Amino acid sequence: MIDLTIPRARRIARPDAVLRGEELGVGPTVLLLHAGGERRQVWRPVVDPLVAAGFRCVAFDQRGHGDSDGSPQALASYADDVAAMLHSEPSGCVVVGASLGGLAALAALGDPAVRTRVAGLVLVDVVPDLEPHRVRRFLAALGMPDDYTEIAEDILAQVPRLRQATAELDLPVLLVRGGSGSPVTGDDVDRLLSLAPHATVTRISGAGHLVARDQPVALAETIVAVTTEWPALALLRDLGAGQVDHPGGNLLDHVHRVHELVANWGGGRSVRLAALCHATYGTDGFPHALLPLDRRARLRAAIGDEAETLVYRYDSCDRSETYARLGATPLPLTDRFTGEVIALAATDLTDFALLTIANELDVARTAPLTAEARREIRALVVALAAYIPDVAARALADPALL
């Protein structure tokens, strides 16, 4: 079992440098890219709450910083390093880049082959459309050493490339601005949104440009709040859920609606993620599988072990055998893949009931069902009320089940 308190060393050999870093935690991956003049340790106060929230965090010293060697003069070299980092990780990473790290990430994501490996991008107090005179004044005020002048000038020369890469982003983008000490202006934000209209913007008061130093916990909480579903959604899109027919549109539409119901009914993080992916292995009522069972590790990498186990339990349920025993505690669940009978109790049982009610209510709302089929769904929800009476009562009051 992995000790979540002990960092594990990482090393990537590049043609002209060796990048050294570390990882901590298990679950969906967050790749953290520090600002110029920093090193990976700046992320540690951010990493601890991210790991506690169920993420696996990876941070390297960028070239020419900390324990990594290599020339730090050209943005293209940083971007190639980021691409190498992403190719060493499972697909579906959330990339968090501060200042130089964010610009390196943008430059790397200009390559479509790199973009396909990323679930979303968090820019920490940096935008692609940099105003040269203001950047130079800001760096001078910080007292940055002369050896950063070359990389700063190279970045400014790459602004057209950065703008183009931003305009081509077809994945979620979050800009986290600092407070009054941030050099990012409202006009900067407007230009970012003109390039990436789907981006969202938030601000952390009490932080300057180096948000990870000034407000690490607030930054971590923002990342968790906004990006938790990104890896799951990236996987679903990659597996073609949007092209699979389902009542009410397609399978991706359906799982979004089920997720919304589960969230509105107070489901925790794991069951919300399970709701998004609840049909990944196919179900007894919807046999189309997005992933075969011998590739469960791919879903674990996107949503974590606990949520993946919930998905497997839901998908493996032999409904004729299991539903006949509803009301029992623990509930004997018959695994239709293996024939094994598993005793569901406590949170596992309430989460299973929550997923089942949300799924069935969405079907009742969107599918052209007969009156008999609606009565069967209503009877199922009544039986599940033994485990989550409040949620069952809300579902039974829905017009689709009256």
Side-chain angles (χ1 to χ4, degrees), residues 19-209:
L19 307 177
R20 294 179 173 85
E22 59 193 26
E23 64 175 271
L24 193 66
V26 294
T29 300
V30 177
L31 176 63
L32 298 156
L33 305 169
H34 64 72
E38 296 281 4
R39 55 190 305 173
R40 67 182 186 270
Q41 283 80 4
V42 72
W43 292 114
R44 190 56 192 264
V46 180
V47 165
D48 289 341
L50 288 179
V51 169
F55 287 96
R56 169 179 169 265
C57 296
V58 179
F60 285 89
D61 287 330
Q62 297 203 65
R63 62 172 48 234
H65 294 72
D67 297 326
S68 296
D69 50 28
S71 172
Q73 273 76 43
L75 181 63
S77 297
Y78 286 99
D80 289 345
D81 291 345
V82 173
M85 294 174 197
L86 288 168
H87 282 294
S88 73
E89 299 298 333
S91 292
C93 289
V94 172
V95 178
V96 179
S99 196
L100 171 62
L103 298 172
L106 278 173
L109 293 171
D111 180 350
V114 176
R115 280 203 303 277
T116 61
R117 304 193 63 80
V118 174
L121 173 65
V122 179
L123 295 171
V124 183
D125 212 57
V126 68
V127 292
D129 202 355
L130 304 168
E131 201 283 314
H133 296 299
R134 186 151 48 88
V135 169
R136 293 182 184 115
R137 287 197 304 271
F138 179 75
L139 293 177
L142 289 179
M144 295 297 283
D146 291 340
D147 53 2
Y148 284 95
T149 300
E150 189 171 348
I151 181 61
E153 292 301 322
D154 183 70
I155 289 171
L156 291 172
Q158 299 298 321
V159 165
R161 175 187 174 189
L162 294 169
R163 286 177 51 84
Q164 181 178 352
T166 305
E168 293 172 353
L169 287 176
D170 51 359
L171 45 83
V173 178
L174 168 68
L175 170 63
V176 180
R177 297 176 64 186
S180 58
S182 166
V184 176
T185 67
D187 288 341
D188 292 333
V189 174
D190 290 342
R191 289 196 298 275
L192 170 67
L193 293 175
S194 71
L195 295 169
H198 63 288
T200 56
V201 182
T202 190
R203 193 161 197 171
I204 295 179
S205 61
H209 181 54

Side-chain angles (χ1 to χ4, degrees), residues 314-339:
Y314 182 80
D315 290 359
S316 69
C317 174
D318 182 320
R319 295 183 177 181
S320 62
E321 293 288 334
T322 304
Y323 288 0
R325 298 174 173 84
L326 288 175
T329 303
L331 173 66
L333 183 147
T334 300
D335 187 321
R336 66 189 180 96
F337 300 130
T338 68

